[in-house]
Amino acid sequence: MNTCNISSFLFMIIGIFSLQFIQKSLASVVSTGDFNKDFFVTWSPTHVNTSSDGQERSLNLDQESGSAFASNDMFLFGQFDMKIKLIPGNSAGTVVAFYLSSNQPNRDEVDFEFLGNVDGEPYIVQTNVYVDGFDNREERIKLWFDPTQDFHTYSILWNLHQILFMVDWVPIRTYRNHADKGVAFPRWQPMSIQVSIWNGEDWATRGGKDKIDWSKSPFIASFKNPKIDGCVWNGNPRFCRAISPSNWWNNENSSTLTWPQRRLFRWVRKYHLIYDYCQDTQRFHNNMPKECVLPKY
């Protein structure tokens, strides 16, 4: 191969790698969040209020309606943070949800659900994971602070290796990718960010024993500083599944819990966990899901 051909070949290779880098960079987005630009209202606009600068938003629930909004884009992997201040006072029967969903009949979904409580009782957070339309993977914890007094950060890290739920960066739950062992894991369907408030009095508080006191309505949950750091779905999963600097969430250092995270995780499990489907032998008639005996990190 002569010098001219070598130069052309090297130029072509550099061009291919440059194009791949540009495509991968364009596939990822970092946003500190303007609700008006990054999200759209999906339910009852009259029950949604947004600050003039787009940095804060509230959702209302009354006897007429709940409300909801969703991200403009869909994502395949990333980290998604939302600062939330929950409903103060007696919020029994209400549900505030922050979650990812593919919105398909056989949907994948990753849920934070904040279950309203009787005034003075600890707020309960339920997490759940749907894969291919099947759930039954609920866990519940009692928060160690009053989430109605100030904003706290709730985060979902979703990558090739794990799903990690965090509260103020404290890991409260993991769901590992054990697909190689026959455990379903959401890894093919892109998902959008969804936020909602709704009437869940049939089940949300003490199994439906405590109903909504509508004299306390409207019930208001507030949100601010949404941060999206994920791979925008463009129809080609290989960009989102790539391990690269722009897709940092797929890298090795995000594949499992760090040692400090493991200590916090064990603390949450010991002192704040109140329900774990993997401990509910009666529900599954002692035929527990496969992931229940596999490592959590």
Side-chain angles (χ1 to χ4, degrees), residues 2-297:
N2 60 36
T3 303
C4 182
N5 288 338
I6 292 173
S7 299
S8 299
F9 177 75
L10 290 174
F11 182 79
M12 181 180 67
I13 293 297
I14 292 169
I16 290 172
F17 278 106
S18 298
L19 178 60
Q20 288 178 338
F21 177 79
I22 291 169
Q23 287 173 322
K24 289 176 182 177
S25 298
L26 289 174
S28 300
V29 62
V30 177
S31 171
T32 54
D34 180 330
F35 285 105
N36 290 322
K37 293 179 180 178
D38 297 334
F39 299 88
F40 67 101
V41 175
T42 57
W43 182 23
S44 191
T46 59
H47 289 62
V48 180
N49 295 297
T50 308
S51 63
S52 57
D53 62 2
Q55 296 300 305
E56 293 194 30
R57 173 167 285 178
S58 64
L59 293 181
N60 298 358
L61 167 68
D62 57 24
Q63 282 186 286
E64 178 187 336
S65 181
S67 49
F69 61 90
S71 61
N72 294 327
D73 292 312
M74 301 191 78
F75 308 91
L76 188 64
F77 308 128
Q79 182 166 312
F80 312 94
D81 307 329
M82 184 74 71
K83 287 187 177 291
I84 305 174
K85 184 162 66 173
L86 294 172
I87 304 165
N90 184 357
S91 58
T94 66
V95 178
V96 175
F98 164 52
Y99 60 107
L100 308 177
S101 179
S102 65
N103 294 328
Q104 300 296 321
N106 61 329
R107 75 185 186 277
D108 289 348
E109 189 169 294
V110 181
D111 296 343
F112 268 111
E113 291 178 312
F114 305 92
L115 310 184
N117 67 323
V118 176
D119 195 13
E121 292 296 316
Y123 235 102
I124 293 174
V125 178
Q126 175 170 285
T127 56
N128 201 358
V129 177
Y130 287 72
V131 189
D132 201 24
F134 294 95
D135 60 340
N136 292 331
R137 300 181 179 92
E138 300 94 342
E139 290 188 6
R140 293 184 179 184
I141 67 163
K142 289 185 177 180
L143 289 172
W144 51 93
F145 54 86
D146 184 347
T148 72
Q149 296 300 304
D150 202 354
F151 287 91
H152 292 266
T153 302
Y154 302 90
S155 306
I156 298 170
L157 171 65
W158 170 39
N159 60 33
L160 291 167
H161 315 285
Q162 65 175 341
I163 296 168
L164 175 59
F165 297 84
M166 293 177 284
V167 176
D168 290 334
W169 316 118
V170 175
I172 66 166
R173 179 179 182 179
T174 62
Y175 185 80
R176 298 287 305 167
N177 184 351
H178 291 300
D180 60 333
K181 299 178 179 65
V183 177
F185 186 84
R187 52 190 173 141
W188 304 110
Q189 296 188 54
M191 294 192 274
S192 62
I193 303 166
Q194 310 267 343
V195 182
S196 61
I197 185 172
W198 45 283
N199 178 352
E201 66 178 4
D202 289 344
W203 65 276
T205 309
R206 292 201 310 142
K209 292 179 181 178
D210 295 315
K211 304 299 184 181
I212 293 178
D213 180 358
W214 291 111
S215 70
K216 307 293 185 183
S217 68
F219 300 98
I220 301 173
S222 302
F223 309 85
K224 70 177 184 178
N225 297 346
K227 183 178 179 183
I228 303 169
D229 196 350
C231 185
V232 177
W233 177 250
N234 63 6
N236 189 338
R238 72 184 179 90
F239 295 133
C240 296
R241 299 175 67 84
I243 297 175
S244 67
S246 59
N247 292 355
W248 62 265
W249 48 84
N250 286 333
N251 293 334
E252 184 66 25
N253 58 2
S254 297
S255 65
T256 189
L257 298 184
T258 65
W259 286 106
Q261 284 179 320
R262 294 180 189 193
R263 288 195 292 270
L264 289 169
F265 180 74
R266 290 193 291 267
W267 172 76
V268 170
R269 309 290 289 184
K270 183 175 181 179
Y271 295 106
H272 299 281
L273 181 70
I274 59 173
Y275 178 80
D276 179 357
Y277 74 108
C278 280
Q279 297 173 5
D280 196 342
T281 55
Q282 184 176 358
R283 177 182 183 180
F284 294 100
H285 307 290
N286 290 314
N287 185 22
M288 304 305 291
K290 291 181 181 179
E291 66 267 20
C292 293
V293 297
L294 295 171
K296 293 185 180 297
Y297 50 77

